[in-house]
Amino acid sequence: MQLKITDHSLVTLHFSLTLADGTEAISTFDEEPLTFTLGDGSMTEALEQQLIGMSQGAEEYLILSGDEVFGPATQDKIQRMPLSDFPPEMALSPGQVIAFSTPAGDEVGGVILELDQTEALVDFNHPLSGQSITFRVKVLEAGPPELSNGTDD
């Protein structure tokens, strides 16, 4: 009997996200597969929900909205930052993607939209928001839900 993926299942899979123009944004198919516990934050909740009910060996192609998966692009995620916030040796240019650390220690990407003598306009919206994406997934293993023992391994 093959187990179906449910909340907190241990899952090993390959996946890719492809844009409407055929550009592959990310893929594990030529790399190591991803192993995670459903709900641990390894994937967005919207992508995880697509996995519920799938079994080992299942392969799906799903067309999804980037807004549903990563959230809609909003103006409040576009911010002006003083150039003094960037390392002095960093050469900035419009279109450049830069990794920023949040106060909580998470890493987020920002795209430089504009530069002037004192500030950079940075877009912190997810780059796939507003786009149609194809989510390809192949489930290699689906284990029973993991039981929390109250410790971090």
Side-chain angles (χ1 to χ4, degrees):
M1 179 178 96
Q2 288 186 335
L3 293 174
K4 291 193 181 291
I5 297 173
T6 63
D7 285 337
H8 307 292
S9 288
L10 183 62
V11 179
T12 299
L13 54 75
H14 278 298
F15 79 98
S16 68
L17 296 176
T18 305
L19 306 180
D21 69 2
T23 302
E24 191 171 72
I26 187 171
S27 176
T28 65
F29 281 92
D30 291 330
E31 301 172 7
E32 290 294 315
L34 177 64
T35 298
F36 65 101
T37 300
L38 203 72
D40 72 1
S42 294
M43 298 185 102
T44 67
E45 185 178 346
L47 290 178
E48 287 185 344
Q49 290 302 311
Q50 302 299 317
L51 302 174
I52 302 281
M54 293 178 75
S55 314
Q56 182 174 324
E59 186 167 4
E60 298 277 339
Y61 290 81
L62 304 161
I63 296 175
L64 306 171
S65 160
D67 286 354
E68 292 175 271
V69 176
F70 303 106
T74 60
Q75 279 299 120
D76 66 327
K77 291 183 181 175
I78 299 175
Q79 300 178 8
R80 292 203 172 275
M81 297 180 65
L83 294 181
S84 60
D85 285 356
F86 297 89
E89 69 279 359
M90 182 180 279
L92 300 175
S93 61
Q96 183 178 8
V97 178
I98 298 175
F100 294 86
S101 293
T102 66
D106 296 322
E107 189 173 285
V108 296
V111 178
I112 304 289
L113 298 178
E114 298 174 4
L115 289 168
D116 65 25
Q117 297 299 319
T118 60
E119 294 181 317
L121 186 63
V122 183
D123 185 351
F124 290 100
N125 285 294
H126 194 283
L128 298 182
S129 291
Q131 298 198 35
S132 176
I133 56 174
T134 299
F135 176 50
R136 175 184 173 203
V137 62
K138 182 171 185 175
V139 179
L140 303 177
E141 293 181 42
E146 290 290 291
L147 299 176
S148 174
N149 61 8
T151 62
D152 291 331
D153 293 328

